[in-house]
Amino acid sequence: DLQIKVPFPFYLLYLQVIKCKAAVMWEANKPFSIEEVEVAPPKAHEVRIKVVATGICRSDDHAVTGGLVTPFPIILGHEAAGIVESVGQGVTSIKPGDKVIPLFVPQCGECSSCLSTKGNLCSKNDIGSGAGLLPDGTTRFTCKGKAIHHFIGTSTFTEYTVVHESAVAKIDSAAPLEKVCLIGCGFSTGYGAAVQTAKVEPGSTCAIFGVGGVGLSVVMGCKAAGAARIIAVDINKGKFAKAKELGATDCVNPKDFKKPIHEVLMEMTGHGVDYSFEVIGCTETMAAALACCQYNYGVSVIVGVPPAAQKITFDPMLLFTGRTWKGSVFGGWKSKDSVPKLVADYMKKKFVLDPLITHTLPFTKINEGFDLLRTGK
C-alpha cells in the first residue's frame, strides 16, 4: 500500500474566538444596537471574513419590518466585501488574506439547480426557510451570553462574520472593496435580471418599476443589452436624474396620472413593453408590471422581494394570451462562478458602480443609513 500523509494545518488549533462590534437587531421594528459580539472560529468548510464594506439593501429593511420573516435576535446584512481572516479544515479554494465577497445565494455545485444550466438558486440557500443558521444548524455569533442568528448565510453588519465555503467568492486582489461590495447583491441582482433572466434584446422597450440601487442596475442592464427605450417608473421624482444618467430614455411618476400606470405605459408604447421589471417588492406593482407587457410575448420579471403572507389576485387571461411572468434571485447568476467575473468586468470598466453609492457612513451610523434608505435618499 502507498500511504500519502497530508500535513495537518496546525494553525487551526490556534484559531480563537474574535470579539468585535456588530449591529444586532434584538427584535423587529427597533433600531440596530451596536454591541460587542463573539465570533467563533470557522468549522470545517467554513471561512471567517473581516468585513471591510457593506451595503444597506431594502431586503435588510424587509427583515427589520417583518416583511421578510427571520428569527431574532439577528445580525443582518448580505451585500459586502472583505478579507479572509481564517479558514476551517478542508477549505482549499480560499486562504487567509484573500479578498472575497460573501454570497447570500450559495453555489454548492451538487443540487439540481446548481447542476442545471437553467437555474442558480442553490438548494442550500437560507432565503426560503429563514432558519437563521449556518448549514450545520448552528450559529457562530454570541452576544451577552445569547446565541445570535445569521441572516441568509452571510450576516455582514459586523466587523467579522463566518460563512460556508460554498457561500463565498474569491475576487481580484486589486478590486476596491468599498465599490465591489455592491456586486454582492444590488448591482448583480438588477443587472442580471435584465441580461440573464429576461435576456433583453437589442431594440426592445423596457419598463422598470422602482429605480433605487437595484432598479438603476436593471436600467444599466437594459442599456448594455441594447434596449431602444427604457422607461423608469417611480413615485420619487428625485430618482429620475440618475436613471437618465444611466440610460433611462423616459421617466414616469404614477402620481402624475389619474389612470392606472399600466394603462399609461400601454398608451406610451402603443402595445405595451417587451420587458418589465418590478424592483420594489409590492404586490400592486407586480400586477401592474405584468399588465403593462405586450399581451402576447411580453416578459415581466419580479426582482423585489415579495412581502410575507401577501397574495396576488390577477386575471389569468393576462398569462393565457402568452405573457411570461418570471422571478429572479441574484439576477440569475451562478454566484461562485459569476461574481469573480463581474468583479473582473468592473475592473475592465465594462460597467460603473459609483453612481449607485449615494452615501458612505462609518459603521456605527448604520441607523442613519437606514433612515436615508427609508426616506428615499
Side-chain angles (χ1 to χ4, degrees), residues 122-198:
C122 175
S123 67
K124 300 285 199 303
N125 82 81
D126 190 36
I127 299 167
S129 68
L133 301 167
L134 287 180
D136 74 345
T138 63
T139 173
R140 301 292 162 272
F141 298 122
T142 312
C143 182
K144 297 177 180 174
K146 287 186 176 176
I148 308 295
H149 290 92
H150 292 249
F151 181 56
I152 50 179
T154 48
S155 288
T156 62
F157 293 165
T158 169
E159 292 176 320
Y160 287 87
T161 191
V162 177
V163 302
H164 191 267
E165 185 181 15
S166 65
V168 62
K170 180 182 173 180
I171 60 167
D172 185 342
S173 61
L177 299 183
E178 74 284 0
K179 304 279 201 295
V180 298
C181 62
L182 298 181
I183 292 172
C185 178
F187 173 78
S188 306
T189 295
Y191 193 79
V195 302
Q196 280 272 120
T197 306

Side-chain angles (χ1 to χ4, degrees), residues 14-316:
Y14 303 108
L15 291 182
Q16 302 289 323
V17 168
I18 287 178
K19 289 185 178 180
C20 69
K21 281 205 283 279
V24 177
M25 177 63 52
W26 290 103
E27 54 185 302
N29 294 303
K30 289 281 165 54
F32 289 88
S33 180
I34 302 293
E35 307 276 7
E36 182 181 83
V37 299
E38 294 171 356
V39 185
K43 293 185 182 179
H45 299 290
E46 292 177 356
V47 178
R48 188 160 59 182
I49 302 165
K50 177 180 172 60
V51 178
V52 173
T54 183
I56 291 176
C57 177
R58 182 69 69 176
S59 303
D60 299 308
D61 197 40
H62 286 331
V64 173
T65 59
L68 186 61
V69 178
T70 56
F72 293 94
I74 192 168
I75 294 173
L76 296 173
H78 64 284
E79 179 183 271
I83 298 165
V84 174
E85 177 270 336
S86 58
V87 299
Q89 203 167 352
V91 175
T92 54
S93 60
I94 288 164
K95 65 186 185 304
D98 284 346
K99 283 189 176 180
V100 292
I101 288 178
L103 308 169
F104 71 92
V105 173
Q107 188 182 344
C108 72
E110 297 166 357
C111 71
S112 59
S113 289
C114 283
L115 292 171
S116 168
T117 56
K118 300 174 187 173
N120 76 316
L121 187 55
C122 175
S123 67
K124 300 285 199 303
N125 82 81
D126 190 36
I127 299 167
S129 68
L133 301 167
L134 287 180
D136 74 345
T138 63
T139 173
R140 301 292 162 272
F141 298 122
T142 312
C143 182
K144 297 177 180 174
K146 287 186 176 176
I148 308 295
H149 290 92
H150 292 249
F151 181 56
I152 50 179
T154 48
S155 288
T156 62
F157 293 165
T158 169
E159 292 176 320
Y160 287 87
T161 191
V162 177
V163 302
H164 191 267
E165 185 181 15
S166 65
V168 62
K170 180 182 173 180
I171 60 167
D172 185 342
S173 61
L177 299 183
E178 74 284 0
K179 304 279 201 295
V180 298
C181 62
L182 298 181
I183 292 172
C185 178
F187 173 78
S188 306
T189 295
Y191 193 79
V195 302
Q196 280 272 120
T197 306
K199 295 183 168 56
V200 169
E201 294 166 319
S204 58
T205 297
C206 304
I208 297 100
F209 287 69
V211 281
V214 183
L216 290 171
S217 301
V218 178
V219 170
M220 290 159 69
C222 292
K223 186 181 180 186
R229 198 170 181 193
I230 301 169
I231 306 168
V233 182
D234 206 299
I235 57 171
N236 179 354
K237 62 179 186 294
K239 304 270 186 190
F240 290 157
K242 197 164 275 187
K244 287 206 159 171
E245 176 194 330
L246 292 173
T249 57
D250 304 77
C251 294
V252 179
N253 185 342
K255 288 181 171 177
D256 293 341
F257 301 90
K258 289 197 167 75
K259 62 178 68 173
I261 189 61
H262 73 273
E263 291 182 17
V264 173
L265 292 167
M266 280 284 187
E267 287 177 11
M268 281 177 69
T269 56
H271 53 69
V273 301
D274 299 303
Y275 302 95
S276 70
F277 302 85
E278 199 282 349
V279 203
I280 301 163
C282 168
T283 53
E284 283 178 33
T285 39
M286 288 172 188
L290 177 68
C292 79
C293 279
Q294 202 277 349
Y295 74 98
N296 181 218
Y297 53 76
V299 175
S300 187
V301 183
I302 293 175
V303 186
V305 177
Q310 284 195 23
K311 302 283 184 275
I312 297 181
T313 303
F314 69 100
D315 180 355

Side-chain angles (χ1 to χ4, degrees), residues 293-369:
C293 279
Q294 202 277 349
Y295 74 98
N296 181 218
Y297 53 76
V299 175
S300 187
V301 183
I302 293 175
V303 186
V305 177
Q310 284 195 23
K311 302 283 184 275
I312 297 181
T313 303
F314 69 100
D315 180 355
M317 187 62 76
L318 287 169
L319 293 179
F320 173 74
T321 56
R323 288 178 182 86
T324 301
W325 213 356
K326 307 183 84 164
S328 180
V329 179
F330 195 59
W333 305 107
K334 287 192 185 287
S335 58
K336 216 168 161 71
D337 293 344
S338 301
V339 163
K341 292 176 187 168
L342 287 166
V343 171
D345 283 349
Y346 169 74
M347 298 298 281
K348 291 175 194 158
K349 297 186 165 53
K350 289 191 179 177
F351 55 82
V352 294
L353 292 173
D354 286 48
L356 303 178
I357 301 168
T358 56
H359 299 75
T360 302
L361 299 169
F363 178 46
T364 50
K365 292 195 174 177
I366 189 166
N367 285 307
E368 289 180 32

